[in-house]
Amino acid sequence: MAETPDTQADRTRDEAVEAALGKLDLDTKARLLSGQDMWTLPALPEIGLASLVMSDGPIGVRGVRWTADDPSVALPSPTALAAAWDPELARRAGRLLAQEARRKGVHVLLAPTVNLHRSPLGGRHFECYSEDPYLTGRIGTGYVKGVQEGGVGTTVKHFVGNDAETDRFTVDNRIAPRPLRELYLAPFEAIVENAHPWGIMTAYNQVNGTTMTEHRHLVNEVLRGEWGFDGFNVSDWMAARSTTGDIAGGLDVAMPGPQTVYGEPLAAAVRAGRADEADVDAAVRNVLRLAARVGLLEGAPPVVAEPPAAVDGQALAAEIARRSFVLVRNENGALPLPAGRTVALVGAAARDARVLGGGSATVFPERVVSPLDGLTAALPEGALTFSVGADPSDELTPADKGFTLRAVCRDAEGTVLGEGTLPSGQVQWIGDDLPAGVSYDTLGTIEVTGTFVPRESGEHAFGTRGLGAFTLTVGGTPLWTGVQEMGDEADPFEAFFGAPSERGRVTLTEGEPVEVSLLYQVPDLTAAPLKAVMFSLLHLGPQRDGDELIAEAAAAARAADTAVVVVATTERVESEGFDRKDLRLPGRQDELVRAVAAANPRTVVVVNAGSPVELPWRDEVAAVLLGWFPGQEGGAALADVLLGAAEPGGRLPTTWPAALGDAPVTDVTPVDGRLEYGEGLFIGYRAWEKAGAVPAYWFGHGLGYTDWAYESLEVTGSTARVRIRNTGTRPGREVVQLYVAPLADKAERPARWLAAFAGVEAGPGETAEAVVALPARAFEIWDEEAGAWAHVPGVYEIQAGRSVGDLRLTATIVH
């Protein structure tokens, strides 16, 4: 039988890998498994191996430098992508990111994040997809396929149990076998089976007493053995802590370098008999296989010889945003806004949109379209007014709007070594990410300097964030000279960046430029295992009286036909490195919404947050639109949706509580180093139903601009057919959701769970049919005694509808 081209290419790659492996001595093999810097692995010219480059992140490809000089397309947050409920859209997003990676010389993308929304307090949930493992697996599969179709590798992360940020480096998450398999491992398993990712990233945390980078059972026996994963396993950054434990546990690459538990320590451990060279060879083989797949190993054809057709990043970013917006309330057809009406736009986030979450997901887009920009462009002149209303933050943030800054690097004698531009007042140089001509050995000071053109007159606050000695000068006048010491931050991520501190205030005039300077004394980094410089110039504009601002917004709303209020979280609320303390909107935004709604019954609220927040006024306004972190084109997409040029296409990927106290699972704080997942199988909507509680909005909920009638459901074998009719006046897209509910359960299981879904489109009066396969796994549980999946026979109800809380049709089957 003739070999298929893929088989032939795979064999050629395998032969090239084995030939290359056979030429390497122990020291070189050990060195290959250790990062040579922050983002790369070493090249080995003697075997024709080029250096492999990795980069964050899930919504854009930053590259190896923290700079806006090489901008990146910024897509909406992963929660937004999941809200579209469309694996093919995720696949297209992946292809765009592969295109961006190739442009930046990146071979492996450190994404997607497929941990679950176990508790709504998870600080990094904006970077994950959903509370549901099936939806997460489907979206993640599409994303991985798209990236790898572009010839770029992925690292599905964080394997496994990194579902919160509190004590994430040390926490021991105690998870029973059934929930571990049925919930937390399930997305990884689905993606390995259906998308064959080229990489996995292991997490910081422990699971059931074993650190994940050393978890031989979950990595070697489950991931590689049971599932057949043949990619490379890279540590989360600084997660690898044991030379012998990591290599025996199946960790291939320890990042970042150059000083890691691999390299020289690994070679020494093998020579001393404390590590097995066969394990080293297996790890090197995985790295070389990855290099062969992305085209970095001579004699090995890359998996993708010709990249797919080019993708328009700006257009796709806008499409994903439109498709992700979830309209959860729309009384009396408040949306779309009627033509010819005046609009009062309210909220600081309408002017300065938050388009992405904080932490390693950060990228620097070439442009950002705010809601104010989008609506100004879309509405006739004179139809739009804007008022701040209430700022979500009264904290200083990295100098941004109105600042034009550069970083000047000097040696100890004051000689300029080099300089670089800054996207904001934040310096974040890690490893070799330094301006040309600059090295850590010669670096004495860094001066963040430039001009600031105030947007408003009044008292402006300036400050610093970071550890070390600073001199802050504004308008030629020194504001502060001093040293910032280490605080009591528990998470190393937050401790590394330091807490924001106000250092002085200056009265400035709108439109009049002023010179600013922050001089930083670089400490001796000779002994640092990872060389890095991180500090920020901070700013906060004049703080007007809150009551006056809210009164102004209410007056503007009263004078307009419709009021649109944009409320938002901040980077101090949703970010990598820490969990949330509550679900409240920061500042006086709730008061603002109530004041505007009292002034104008046609008030629409747009929620600019990556994950759930409390909306205590939700029944007092005409419409609520969840906008997530909408990416660089968010404002343009918002204008399209508000004005009816496009339908809000999203459905909730996670249950939205009315109040934190209502949520059945909230705990993210370890006790004595351990976090018990005592709720077992019951997270998300499963937990809400078990508790008999009703959230603000159920998983799967989302309204469009048309109506749908569910007419029939037929189940034949493993295939379900759902016929629906568009009963409204506009064309639309519906997400048909199918849930499985056991009628006489023989095992402890939730009341129902998502088994399948499909998106269908139809014009007014037209019918459409969703044909979906019901996976066998939907009728199985993990048998803890047998250590295997087991089918649970019995009578099941297949339920079709618009959300967990809006099920329209049922069919009973025996499975």
Side-chain angles (χ1 to χ4, degrees):
M1 181 177 176
E3 292 181 333
T4 65
D6 282 348
T7 302
Q8 294 175 16
D10 287 342
R11 178 167 294 180
T12 301
R13 281 189 289 271
D14 288 344
E15 290 171 351
V17 165
E18 294 303 321
L21 177 60
K23 297 175 183 177
L24 299 177
D25 61 25
L26 175 61
D27 292 307
T28 307
K29 288 186 289 190
R31 181 162 57 90
L32 179 60
L33 303 182
S34 187
Q36 71 173 351
D37 54 29
M38 186 66 180
W39 303 113
T40 73
L41 298 184
L44 301 178
E46 63 269 31
I47 59 169
L49 176 68
S51 177
L52 183 126
V53 180
M54 294 170 268
S55 171
D56 290 320
I59 57 98
V61 184
R62 189 171 61 248
V64 299
R65 297 193 58 211
W66 189 270
T67 176
D69 291 344
D70 183 15
S72 309
V73 172
L75 298 178
S77 60
T79 42
L81 187 61
W85 286 61
D86 187 346
E88 186 56 35
L89 185 64
R91 191 172 187 166
R92 291 168 55 207
R95 285 192 173 186
L96 170 63
L97 295 176
Q99 175 179 297
E100 285 280 280
R102 292 194 308 271
R103 180 175 66 81
K104 289 173 173 271
V106 168
H107 309 111
V108 176
L109 195 58
L110 302 173
T113 303
V114 299
N115 302 113
L116 298 184
H117 296 176
R118 173 181 167 267
S119 161
L121 292 177
R124 203 174 180 180
H125 280 350
F126 63 86
E127 196 178 318
C128 311
Y129 291 129
S130 171
E131 69 188 27
D132 183 80
Y134 178 76
L135 177 60
T136 296
R138 289 285 306 278
I139 301 302
T141 292
Y143 181 101
V144 168
K145 282 183 175 180
V147 174
Q148 294 185 175
E149 284 166 354
V152 174
T154 56
T155 58
V156 188
K157 63 184 188 181
H158 307 84
F159 189 77
V160 62
N162 184 184
D163 308 299
E165 296 293 279
T166 303
D167 295 345
R168 61 177 174 159
F169 288 80
T170 57
V171 62
D172 179 10
N173 292 321
R174 295 287 173 153
I175 313 173
R178 273 194 68 192
L180 182 60
R181 289 283 189 156
E182 296 180 26
L183 296 179
Y184 302 101
L185 286 172
F188 292 93
E189 182 182 11
I191 293 168
V192 168
E193 179 182 354
N194 297 307
H196 309 293
W198 299 345
I200 290 280
M201 180 189 290
T202 41
Y204 294 117
N205 53 276
Q206 302 174 54
V207 170
N208 298 330
T210 303
T211 301
M212 277 311 306
T213 55
E214 304 170 35
H215 215 302
R216 185 179 183 88
H217 170 62
L218 290 179
V219 173
N220 284 345
E221 296 174 14
V222 176
L223 174 64
R224 294 196 185 281
E226 288 183 32
W227 303 349
F229 172 70
D230 69 351
F232 96 130
N233 173 16
V234 62
S235 71
D236 203 343
W237 266 226
M238 297 177 285
R241 296 158 217 168
S242 167
T243 299
T244 55
D246 287 336
I247 197 66
L251 181 70
D252 297 328
V253 172
M255 290 296 290
Q259 296 182 40
T260 76
V261 298
Y262 284 174
E264 291 181 6
L266 179 57
V270 171
R271 292 191 174 99
R274 294 182 292 107
D276 190 338
E277 189 167 0
D279 289 339
V280 176
D281 287 347
V284 171
R285 186 177 288 111
N286 292 330
V287 173
L288 293 175
R289 185 182 298 116
L290 172 65
R293 284 169 166 166
V294 299
L296 295 179
L297 183 64
E298 286 183 10
V303 172
V304 178
E306 293 292 331
V311 180
D312 184 330
Q314 185 172 309
L316 183 57
E319 180 184 351
I320 294 172
R322 292 192 297 267
R323 295 278 307 280
S324 73
F325 292 153
V326 182
L327 183 61
V328 294
R329 177 178 173 85
N330 192 23
E331 293 299 295
N332 301 316
L335 290 179
L337 301 177
R341 303 293 180 89
T342 56
V343 176
L345 182 62
V346 176
R351 180 183 64 187
D352 300 326
R354 188 173 182 205
V355 301
L356 46 80
S360 60
T362 301
V363 295
F364 305 104
E366 188 170 28
R367 68 177 225 157
V368 171
V369 182
S370 70
L372 179 56
D373 296 331
L375 284 168
T376 298
L379 289 169
E381 186 173 353
L384 181 71
T385 62
F386 169 72
S387 51
V388 171
D391 198 314
S393 176
D394 57 2
E395 288 190 334
L396 291 90
T397 56
D400 184 8
K401 299 292 189 298
F403 288 85
T404 303
L405 301 170
R406 65 188 189 280
V408 180
C409 302
R410 299 181 176 89
D411 63 17
E413 284 71 44
T415 302
V416 174
L417 301 171
E419 63 178 68
T421 59
L422 294 176
S424 71
Q426 187 170 351
V427 173
Q428 185 164 307
W429 297 338
I430 307 174
D432 292 337
D433 180 12
L434 293 170
V438 180
S439 69
Y440 290 104
D441 294 338
T442 57
L443 189 55
T445 64
I446 301 169
E447 184 184 14
V448 174
T449 183
T451 58
F452 171 50
V453 181
R455 294 191 296 186
E456 48 198 334
S457 298
E459 190 176 54
H460 290 251
F462 292 84
T464 63
R465 186 182 187 188
L467 307 177
F470 297 93
T471 299
L472 174 63
T473 304
V474 177
T477 302
L479 279 189
W480 181 74
T481 297
V483 177
Q484 176 67 49
E485 304 287 355
M486 175 75 77
D488 59 357
E489 295 85 1
D491 189 280
F493 185 91
E494 190 171 18
F496 207 34
F497 286 92
S501 300
E502 182 179 320
R503 304 303 187 186
R505 299 191 174 205
V506 181
T507 300
L508 302 175
T509 303
E510 177 185 351
E512 293 187 7
V514 61
E515 297 296 315
V516 295
S517 167
L518 178 63
L519 184 66
Y520 176 68
Q521 301 288 333
V522 179
D524 183 2
L525 298 172
T526 305
L530 175 64
K531 293 180 172 56
V533 178
M534 293 183 174
F535 68 94
S536 300
L537 168 65
L538 305 180
H539 169 260
L540 179 66
Q543 297 297 285
R544 289 184 53 202
D545 180 79
D547 291 339
E548 288 183 10
L549 289 173
I550 291 174
E552 284 180 8
R558 196 173 293 111
D561 294 317
T562 301
V564 175
V565 186
V566 182
V567 296
T569 59
T570 70
E571 194 164 321
R572 297 289 288 172
V573 174
E574 290 186 273
S575 176
E576 178 180 355
F578 52 88
D579 288 315
R580 299 160 74 182
K581 296 178 176 61
D582 56 53
L583 300 183
R584 293 191 296 273
L585 286 166
R588 298 178 63 181
Q589 295 181 99
D590 289 333
E591 291 179 61
L592 171 65
V593 171
R594 286 193 158 119
V596 171
N600 190 329
R602 295 173 301 280
T603 292
V604 176
V605 182
V606 178
V607 183
N608 182 192
S611 49
V613 291
E614 293 176 2
L615 310 175
W617 32 258
R618 65 189 183 281
D619 294 332
E620 303 168 30
V621 299
V624 179
L625 183 69
L626 308 181
W628 313 106
F629 295 145
Q632 67 176 57
E633 305 299 319
L638 178 63
D640 285 343
V641 166
L642 291 178
L643 299 177
E647 181 181 42
R651 305 293 186 267
L652 282 179
T654 200
T655 304
W656 205 279
L660 176 61
D662 299 338
V665 180
T666 58
D667 188 23
V668 294
T669 304
V671 176
D672 297 326
R674 293 168 53 154
L675 183 62
E676 299 286 347
Y677 282 39
E679 68 283 347
L681 298 170
F682 298 92
I683 66 169
Y685 62 88
R686 297 163 166 84
W688 285 89
E689 291 207 295
K690 182 182 181 183
V694 178
Y697 305 112
W698 281 107
F699 173 84
H701 175 62
L703 308 171
Y705 288 158
T706 192
D707 297 312
W708 299 91
Y710 278 61
E711 296 187 339
S712 66
L713 165 64
E714 297 178 3
V715 181
T716 306
S718 61
T719 300
R721 297 176 180 272
V722 184
R723 190 174 72 242
I724 64 174
R725 180 183 299 275
N726 183 342
T727 59
T729 59
R730 291 174 51 118
R733 179 179 185 271
E734 174 71 334
V735 177
V736 177
Q737 304 164 37
L738 282 95
Y739 296 83
V740 168
L743 293 185
D745 208 358
K746 302 173 183 177
E748 183 189 18
R749 286 185 290 183
R752 75 201 83 247
W753 52 89
L754 181 69
F757 63 88
V760 296
E761 297 180 1
E766 295 179 350
T767 61
E769 187 176 62
V771 181
V772 294
L774 298 172
R777 181 60 59 80
F779 303 91
E780 296 176 341
I781 66 167
W782 181 257
D783 186 325
E784 295 183 348
E785 290 187 8
W789 289 99
H791 173 251
V792 181
V795 180
Y796 291 87
E797 192 170 76
I798 307 303
Q799 304 170 338
R802 311 198 70 201
S803 74
V804 169
D806 185 5
L807 298 168
R808 305 286 183 88
L809 299 170
T810 63
T812 301
I813 64 169
V814 178
H815 199 281

